[in-house]
Amino acid sequence: MAKHWYVVHTYSGYENKVKNDLEHRIETYGLEDQIVDIQIPTEEVTEIKEGGKRETKENKVFPGYVLVRMELTDDTWSVVRNTPGVTGFAGTNGSKPTYLRISEFNKIMRKTNRRGAQGAPKRTMTTTNLEAGQAIKVVSGPLADFDGTISEVMPESGKVKVMLTIFGRETPVELTLDQVTTIA
């Protein structure tokens, strides 16, 4: 019988516990050859904190969901479904859950920093507490000590567009997130 990826819905925040409990249940019931992989899609996020300090952490791409690769039988369905923290299978068609197509699985795993079926590269997203309209001071680079106002935040590139007053004129400048700090 073929093994497919299924999406399992969990209580939000219980994804790691569900994965660990499910791994123990698979071993206890001797289903290692039928339930072969469990993934929690995550991505690495770099936040720029006050003063340009970078903090990297791993965030779940789909909070409340775990991917399980298995043969769907009554036994495997029951073991997964009755794992503490599991609320059910996503995409249930009648009483039988629908599996992910391999293209869907690959698309999900490309968003993560784990090596999926096609060797997805690590991707870093940047988040920041900066927002348009905030007053800032440039702390490094050739424009250090200039004050300005954020006109646009671009977290995907780790940059901000800032309006600086240079020679009495408002001038748009693109800076990296670590080059600015907010003015209290």
Side-chain angles (χ1 to χ4, degrees):
M1 191 173 208
K3 293 174 183 69
H4 297 286
W5 285 100
Y6 293 89
V7 179
V8 176
H9 190 258
T10 69
Y11 294 122
S12 189
Y14 282 72
E15 301 86 359
N16 292 329
K17 182 165 179 25
V18 165
K19 180 179 179 181
N20 291 336
D21 288 351
L22 187 52
E23 288 169 344
H24 292 298
R25 289 172 60 84
I26 291 165
E27 190 176 326
T28 300
Y29 288 97
L31 296 172
E32 296 94 336
D33 59 335
Q34 292 177 308
I35 304 175
V36 296
D37 198 2
I38 304 166
Q39 294 286 327
I40 301 171
T42 60
E43 67 183 346
E44 196 172 272
V45 177
T46 303
E47 290 186 12
I48 308 294
K49 298 291 187 181
E50 203 62 37
K53 184 180 177 203
R54 291 179 178 267
E55 184 179 292
T56 301
K57 61 184 181 180
E58 206 168 273
N59 284 351
K60 290 172 181 61
V61 176
F62 303 110
Y65 294 94
V66 173
L67 304 179
V68 179
R69 185 166 180 241
M70 63 184 218
E71 287 178 24
L72 186 63
T73 65
D74 288 343
D75 290 339
T76 59
W77 180 88
S78 179
V79 165
V80 173
R81 179 66 186 93
N82 294 313
T83 299
V86 170
T87 60
F89 283 84
T92 302
N93 180 7
S95 61
K96 191 175 180 183
T98 306
Y99 59 84
L100 289 175
R101 292 189 306 268
I102 195 67
S103 61
E104 294 170 319
F105 172 77
N106 289 339
K107 188 175 182 180
I108 290 169
M109 295 311 288
R110 256 187 241 112
K111 291 180 180 272
T112 74
N113 64 357
R114 297 179 189 268
R115 299 248 168 229
Q118 293 184 346
K122 184 182 275 191
R123 184 177 90 148
T124 301
M125 293 287 293
T126 303
T127 61
T128 180
N129 58 353
L130 298 175
E131 53 189 48
Q134 276 185 308
I136 58 92
K137 176 182 255 340
V138 180
V139 294
S140 66
L143 300 172
D145 296 326
F146 275 87
D147 293 339
T149 305
I150 296 174
S151 62
E152 183 181 352
V153 179
M154 302 171 290
E156 62 282 347
S157 62
K159 295 183 178 184
V160 289
K161 283 187 182 172
V162 178
M163 296 303 286
L164 298 178
T165 303
I166 302 174
F167 303 122
R169 287 186 44 192
E170 288 275 299
T171 307
V173 178
E174 198 170 282
L175 300 168
T176 61
L177 293 172
D178 59 352
Q179 287 182 288
V180 300
T181 189
T182 55
I183 297 175

